[in-house]
Amino acid sequence: MDRPAPLLATADAHLAEEVQRLAASLGTSPVVTADAGGLLRRWHGPPLVLVGADLVEQAAALRPPRRAGVVLVSSGPLPPGLLRPALDLGVGEVVELPSGTGWLATALGDLEEATRGGPVVGVLGGAGGAGATTFAAALGQLAATQGPVLVVDADPLGPGLDRVLGVEQGEGVGWEVLTTSRGRLSARDLREGVPRRGPLGVLTWRAAQPPRMPDDDQLAEVVEAARRGHDLVVLDLARSRDDRAGLLARCDLVVVLVPATVVGVASTVRACAALDDPGRAGLVLVGREADEEAVASATGLRVLARMTRQRGLDEAVDLGLGPVRHHRGQLGRAAAAVLTRTALLGRAA
């Protein structure tokens, strides 16, 4: 599939030359229009719209509908007085060249990822010991048979997804590196930088010091870069509300693991009450002891799948094979049922 072309709207020949030279070095070429009317006609198509400082007031006066990916670009410092029209236009970033060349290069380089933009699935334990980390790993392992997947460890007190998936000895960066970086994160850099086994990548804590959750801005940047560069992103969410608060809103689907016991269901009811949008959440019931309809009624969430504890799970993880040894096993079938909801494994049973 061809890389989608950005749109550059400017009548400033020097600015147009600067942007075109940078884009050419990254293997892309912007569509250029020299007037606000041409910008409006092409407004919806391109994944990235670069508006020159010379046209931003004219473009804002046309009141185009809001969209993401609008960048205000200037050659040198931004002239005063353009903040209000930039806000009216829905500009998300301001890039002053040449100082902003690095940011713009990353944004242009990421255009090859624009055809992806996979869903984000969060996995949350409704009670302690529900098996959320194992299920997150299973989702990633199964979905990786279809394309690139990133499983993100967002539980500082968890066992470590790299160990569960058998990639703890693999080369790659972890949260320790990403929490020290700022600015736009390249989807390709993230995909190629984390430990991987084939199409399955894992982001977790790699160093021995106590893990620390990134701040909300860092989390947002990592999740968006992961989404751009993978067909699926799986988040192993912490049970602590403080540690998961910034991530829940970024999930297209939240899967809550429920132990099918009286205590497990009671704990899950409290966990589900804290969800902002129950319509984007569903349950995986673990065990045979509870009735599906009763659990759904108590939690207010639909049951996506049901499974029993899988025999040989600890052995498979200890051998570095990951939790899913057989796709037709209990864990594999439950993970496939959830992935079917994301249209990733439409033929899975």
Side-chain angles (χ1 to χ4, degrees):
M1 185 176 294
D2 292 336
R3 178 186 300 193
L7 174 66
L8 171 62
T10 183
D12 183 334
H14 177 66
L15 176 61
E17 183 181 353
E18 281 187 284
V19 174
Q20 287 174 307
R21 187 187 308 116
L22 177 61
S25 72
L26 296 163
T28 189
S29 177
V31 174
V32 182
T33 181
D35 60 81
L39 169 64
L40 187 61
R41 287 191 296 273
R42 299 174 177 86
W43 182 251
H44 290 291
L48 187 68
V49 175
L50 308 175
V51 183
D54 58 307
L55 290 185
V56 66
E57 291 181 298
Q58 298 174 40
L62 295 177
R63 298 184 179 277
R66 292 276 172 162
R67 54 153 294 165
V70 181
V71 180
L72 174 57
V73 185
S74 68
S75 185
L78 187 70
L82 293 185
L83 180 58
R84 171 48 59 188
L87 291 174
D88 292 341
L89 190 61
V91 167
E93 296 286 344
V94 176
V95 176
E96 299 175 333
L97 298 176
S99 61
T101 297
W103 188 97
L104 186 56
T106 299
L108 290 168
D110 260 358
L111 290 181
E112 67 182 277
E113 314 295 346
T115 55
R116 286 205 170 98
V120 177
V121 177
V123 182
L124 174 65
T133 296
T134 299
F135 197 79
L139 288 175
Q141 197 176 355
L142 198 60
T145 63
Q146 305 293 307
V149 176
L150 183 67
V151 185
V152 179
D153 196 342
D155 184 1
L157 300 180
L161 274 166
D162 54 345
R163 295 179 181 85
V164 176
L165 286 164
V167 297
E168 68 269 27
Q169 302 301 322
E171 297 287 334
V173 302
W175 278 120
E176 296 83 5
V177 174
L178 296 181
T179 52
T180 63
S181 63
R182 293 288 175 180
R184 185 181 176 91
L185 176 62
S186 162
R188 177 188 291 178
D189 288 347
L190 178 62
R191 188 175 63 245
E192 297 179 355
V194 299
R196 305 195 75 86
R197 176 180 287 170
L200 177 60
V202 180
L203 174 59
T204 185
W205 288 269
R206 305 283 285 167
Q209 67 260 32
R212 178 180 64 85
M213 283 297 293
D215 64 34
D216 286 346
D217 289 342
Q218 291 167 324
L219 284 172
E221 187 59 38
V222 168
V223 172
E224 289 309 308
R227 187 196 290 269
R228 293 194 303 270
H230 296 82
D231 291 343
L232 174 70
V233 181
V234 182
L235 306 179
D236 179 21
L237 299 169
R239 293 197 68 227
S240 165
R241 294 181 64 178
D242 291 339
D243 284 340
R244 70 172 190 252
L247 290 172
L248 280 174
R250 301 188 176 279
C251 295
D252 299 293
L253 174 66
V254 178
V255 180
V256 185
L257 272 288
V258 189
T261 64
V262 172
V263 173
V265 173
S267 179
T268 302
V269 168
R270 290 192 292 272
C272 293
L275 298 176
D276 293 332
D277 185 1
R280 290 186 294 111
L283 306 174
V284 171
L285 199 54
V286 184
R288 296 190 176 95
E289 293 79 7
D291 178 73
E292 287 189 24
E293 291 186 5
V295 174
S297 176
T299 60
L301 301 183
R302 55 194 165 154
V303 176
L304 303 176
R306 185 167 195 160
M307 66 180 190
T308 56
R309 301 285 182 181
Q310 181 166 299
R311 286 180 288 181
L313 179 62
D314 291 340
E315 179 188 5
V317 171
D318 289 344
L319 291 173
L321 302 175
V324 180
R325 296 185 68 175
H326 306 289
H327 291 190
R328 296 294 177 178
Q330 288 282 330
L331 182 58
R333 290 176 66 86
V338 170
L339 290 173
T340 299
R341 299 274 180 166
T342 69
L344 285 169
L345 290 181
R347 294 187 300 274

